[in-house]
Amino acid sequence: MTTTDDPAESERSAGAGPADLQGDGTKRQFISWLTLAFMTTASVASLRPSPTMAIYGLAAIFLYLLPAVVFLLPTALVGAELASGWSGGIYRWVSEALGKPLGFLAVWCQFAMTIAYYPSLLAYVASTFAYVIDPSLAENGLYVAIVIVVVYWSGVLISSRGTRTIAGLSSFGLIIGTLVPGVLLVALGIVFLGQGNPSAQPMSPDHWLPPWTGLASLVLIVNNFLSYAGMEMNGVHVSSLRDPGREYPRSMFLATGLVLLIFILPALAIAWVMPSSQLSLTAGLMQAFQAFFDHFSIGWMTKVVGVMLVCAALGGMLTWLSGPAKGLVLLSRQEGYLPPSLQKFNKDGAPRNIMVAQGVVTTLIGVLYAFSDDVSSAYWMFSVVTVQIYLIAYLLMFVAVVKLRRTRPDVERGFRVPAVAWVAGTGFVASVAALAIGFVPPEQFGGQPLWRYLLIVGGGLLVLGLVIPAALLKYRKPGWIHPDHRQPSDAI
């Protein structure tokens, strides 16, 4: 074997052109557009929102397609342009366009939405696990509260030790807890209908659109915005495509189609076997499995599927638990956004202090379930708070891409959104509409006091999404910048 010290000769011998080399001279690792499509699908698709849309029956197709067109695709395309032009995620994107305070607000919202997200996720875990031990517990508020508190703090303990099994558990959970149960649910539904059994909900063509009885009849569509959240994260991989201009849109359209299939087919399968009036938003998936398994005389499978779904949800929780918190802490060390006590890492590199502070709030929210006589209603309200907080970050992102296209046209981007003002504008308007609709109680919970709904939803958005970050910005001090990043001239 011969060797050479000439970089040009090495490049020729490796068959790499200049476009195949990164800035440091190393060979760029490319991925196919199909690979990116599957990666994106895996990061977004889930079975958890299926019961929410199954309430609408056949109209679930329309209610999934609409936000996919006006929100899912715009976030994916906008995220790709921003990620291919600026590293550093949403903080860098918004800061470059709108200033650092709004950049902090965007990254704070990505973190704060998890505070409301974990109670709703763990309420789903509790209701699902109830079918393994005692299905009557699925709507028991005290049981749900205990599961939320115990499982959350167990997750904090695991994450704070920096275990290497978290990534593996998440990947395992995707296959075992999402793909396998999803395929099984749809297959059971098809066989069920094939035997001549009538659908529990009407499936005739005149049910393609949901019945219109005012905004309250469509409020559950807001949950789809949370279901689609995160699509933009895979924009960081746009530079790994050989021809981003052609391949990235192709990848996103395929991913959107796959995501829609994973969302829509299980929702329809649930509607085939469960009347909407009997569906629980937290336990609806297990209600459908139990109904199918009882019909086919294999009721023992209900417990098996319940364990699989719980594993998937817990794997996802562990993956999210330290990620947003760690990103916020690292940024705060550089910019001084958080008090020093919340910037500390333990010996395993986990941001334990801020995770504990987050856990205190999550625990208080979880305890509220103990006083709720309607677990589905509580689950929905905290889901809405999660969506609304997250939408603030998306609103800022849509504004940022348009402004940066105008003020920083010189920055090289691996991908440019065609008709960026229209695409970003569509996503912005859709996000504002979803945020506003979230304040309307769904008609399924018409018996709940309106003041309680508005207090939880509006209060959660105001306090977690706006008041706390505004207070941190107002009262931060130069000494909050970590010594490793502090300059003699630092002044805030």
Side-chain angles (χ1 to χ4, degrees):
M1 179 181 293
T2 59
T3 60
T4 175
D5 293 328
D6 181 3
E9 180 61 28
S10 298
E11 179 182 320
R12 286 191 295 271
S13 63
D20 295 328
L21 300 178
Q22 302 184 95
D24 59 3
T26 59
K27 190 174 182 179
R28 179 181 298 172
Q29 299 296 316
F30 289 102
I31 60 174
S32 70
W33 66 273
L34 282 173
T35 299
L36 181 56
F38 294 140
M39 288 170 57
T40 304
T41 303
S43 67
V44 176
S46 168
L47 296 180
R48 192 165 71 94
S50 299
T52 305
M53 287 298 102
I55 286 177
Y56 292 106
L58 190 63
I61 297 176
F62 170 78
L63 294 176
Y64 269 122
L65 284 173
L66 180 61
V69 173
V70 301
F71 178 76
L72 177 63
L73 283 174
T75 56
L77 297 174
V78 166
E81 172 163 335
L82 293 171
S84 66
W86 293 268
S87 61
I90 196 167
Y91 174 77
R92 174 84 183 280
W93 306 340
V94 176
S95 295
E96 290 281 345
L98 307 173
K100 287 186 176 182
L102 289 179
F104 170 67
L105 175 61
V107 78
W108 168 267
C109 286
Q110 284 192 330
F111 162 76
M113 75 93 178
T114 63
I115 297 175
Y117 171 73
Y118 292 133
S120 62
L121 171 67
L122 294 177
Y124 161 79
V125 168
S127 295
T128 300
F129 191 66
Y131 279 77
V132 179
I133 52 177
D134 181 2
S136 65
L137 292 173
E139 292 291 330
N140 185 299
L142 179 60
Y143 159 76
V144 172
I146 292 173
V147 171
I148 290 173
V149 173
V150 172
V151 174
Y152 177 82
W153 286 106
S154 299
V156 170
L157 181 63
I158 294 172
S159 296
S160 65
R161 292 185 175 181
T163 176
R164 296 181 179 180
T165 62
I166 292 177
L169 180 59
S170 178
S171 300
F172 176 79
L174 170 68
I175 298 173
I176 299 299
T178 299
L179 298 182
V180 173
V183 171
L184 177 61
L185 182 66
V186 175
L188 289 171
I190 292 173
V191 174
F192 177 81
L193 294 181
Q195 291 179 336
N197 297 292
S199 173
Q201 297 186 43
M203 292 287 151
S204 57
D206 55 338
H207 288 84
W208 277 102
L209 295 177
W212 175 257
T213 57
L215 281 178
S217 64
L218 296 181
V219 168
L220 297 185
I221 194 177
V222 172
N223 195 53
N224 290 345
F225 285 76
L226 177 61
S227 301
Y228 292 144
M231 190 79 163
E232 80 286 354
M233 298 299 183
N234 286 288
V236 298
H237 299 295
V238 69
S239 60
S240 298
L241 298 172
R242 291 189 178 275
D243 186 1
R246 288 192 312 110
E247 293 183 337
Y248 186 78
R250 188 185 304 172
S251 177
M252 288 304 101
F253 279 112
L254 175 60
T256 299
L258 293 174
V259 167
L260 286 172
L261 285 176
I262 294 174
F263 280 145
I264 291 173
L265 293 180
L268 291 179
I270 294 173
W272 293 336
V273 74
M274 291 298 303
S276 59
S277 60
Q278 299 177 18
L279 265 175
S280 163
L281 297 189
T282 52
L285 194 58
M286 290 306 298
Q287 287 178 321
F289 272 117
Q290 184 175 57
F292 280 133
F293 289 145
D294 287 346
H295 174 79
F296 292 108
S297 301
I298 48 173
W300 58 270
M301 279 290 293
T302 303
K303 298 182 186 296
V304 176
V305 170
V307 171
M308 293 165 65
L309 293 172
V310 167
C311 286
L314 293 181
M317 186 196 80
L318 289 174
T319 302
W320 271 84
L321 197 55
S322 63
K326 187 172 184 177
L328 181 62
V329 169
L330 289 172
L331 174 64
S332 297
R333 285 187 161 208
Q334 299 174 21
E335 302 290 345
Y337 291 126
L338 294 178
S341 61
L342 295 178
Q343 298 181 20
K344 295 180 179 178
F345 290 96
N346 65 7
K347 60 182 179 65
D348 295 307
R352 187 167 58 188
N353 285 14
I354 195 170
M355 288 168 63
V356 169
Q358 178 185 16
V360 171
V361 181
T362 300
T363 299
L364 293 175
I365 295 174
V367 169
L368 292 177
Y369 277 90
F371 301 97
S372 173
D373 55 1
D374 187 347
V375 171
S376 286
S377 178
Y379 168 84
W380 172 253
M381 286 186 285
F382 292 123
S383 293
V384 171
V385 173
T386 304
V387 174
Q388 291 184 319
I389 293 173
Y390 211 179
L391 285 174
I392 295 175
Y394 282 110
L395 290 171
L396 293 170
M397 186 180 79
F398 289 130
V399 174
V401 73
V402 175
K403 185 168 183 180
L404 287 172
R405 181 72 76 86
R406 187 176 68 251
T407 61
R408 303 291 298 279
D410 55 309
V411 174
E412 183 179 351
R413 297 155 170 84
F415 172 79
R416 287 178 176 266
V417 180
V420 65
W422 283 99
V423 173
T426 299
F428 185 90
V429 171
S431 299
V432 170
L435 197 150
I437 292 173
F439 286 103
V440 180
E443 62 180 11
Q444 286 81 3
F445 307 130
Q448 296 291 322
L450 178 61
W451 67 266
R452 182 190 301 172
Y453 183 88
L454 294 178
L455 179 64
I456 293 177
V457 172
L461 172 64
L462 186 65
V463 174
L464 294 177
L466 298 173
V467 172
I468 294 178
L472 290 171
L473 287 170
K474 180 177 176 61
Y475 295 108
R476 67 176 176 151
K477 302 174 182 178
W480 288 8
I481 298 176
H482 193 273
D484 292 346
H485 301 279
R486 200 175 297 164
Q487 301 295 329
S489 59
D490 273 338
I492 298 179

